[in-house]
Amino acid sequence: GAGVSQSPRYKVAKRGQDVALRCDPISGHVSLFWYQQALGQGPEFLTYFQNEAQLDKSGLPSDRFFAERPEGSVSTLKIQRTQQEDSAVYLCASSVHRDGTSTDTQYFGPGTRLTVL
Amino acid sequence: QKEVEQNSGPLSVPEGAIASLNCTYSDRVSQSFFWYRQYSGKSPELIMSIYSNGDKEDGRFTAQLNKASQYVSLLIRDSQPSDSATYLCAVLSGGSYIPTFGRGTSLIVHP
């Protein structure tokens, strides 16, 4: 079946602009994660959804970052008033969350590379 | 603070050799361990998962877990130039769904 998709793949924004990044998880996957990956670093957790519920947003770096998943499928990560330090690859991942164990593996989308000028 | 440590490398090995990648973690209650491969400019791709002490083999890949020493390793036998990538270690604690990733080890397999 189709994997996780993200759009746009590349986004260039001027400092101060708002951006919206979209994630389409694998159909039927309950769990959805957003990560930020800076160059040369591993993915850093931003936020986690179980269906439409945002269960953890402890990784969001500031109140300029906002994520939603209103119908429990597609998710949007919004960054307001972008800053240069927001430049990174934003990865979305989904997992089945079949029985609530921690053995669920995550499947990543291709990411959105955000460059803030 | 949960930490996952990896040597950033690069680790350079000749084609056909065994590449050994290591990862240590700080959280003693960690239960699930994953190795992802990430090619430059691409997203992470899961290659191995391991949940119990010992070795787990899948083709040319072997994951080794030692919970007492809090390390997990990945061995790649008969390394190929196509194995050149960054290998990310991810660790999941019991009851959590949020993995902690290491920064990754860059592997270069030269002909």
Side-chain angles (χ1 to χ4, degrees), chain A residues 33 35 37 100 102-103 105-106 109, chain B residues 32 34 36 38 43 92 97 99:
Chain A
F33 303 79
Y35 294 91
Q37 187 174 27
S102 62
T103 59
T105 55
Q106 298 186 15
Chain B
S32 305
F34 307 91
Y36 286 84
Q38 187 172 27
S43 60
L92 200 52
Y97 303 99

Side-chain angles (χ1 to χ4, degrees), chain A residues 34-113:
Chain A
W34 282 99
Y35 294 91
Q36 181 189 62
Q37 187 174 27
L39 190 64
Q41 301 295 319
E44 293 280 347
F45 169 77
L46 292 177
T47 187
Y48 163 61
F49 289 87
Q50 198 174 108
N51 295 307
E52 69 278 3
Q54 189 175 21
L55 298 188
D56 192 317
K57 55 181 181 179
S58 62
L60 296 177
S62 76
D63 58 7
R64 295 186 295 104
F65 287 71
F66 172 77
E68 61 183 3
R69 193 185 184 196
E71 297 179 359
S73 55
V74 171
S75 177
T76 303
L77 176 67
K78 298 179 180 179
I79 310 174
Q80 297 177 324
R81 304 181 303 282
T82 52
Q83 303 296 315
Q84 285 189 324
E85 61 262 28
D86 300 335
S87 296
V89 174
Y90 291 85
L91 294 166
C92 175
S94 70
S95 66
V96 173
H97 190 71
R98 197 188 307 277
D99 58 2
T101 71
S102 62
T103 59
D104 286 342
T105 55
Q106 298 186 15
Y107 299 89
F108 283 83
T112 295
R113 182 177 297 275

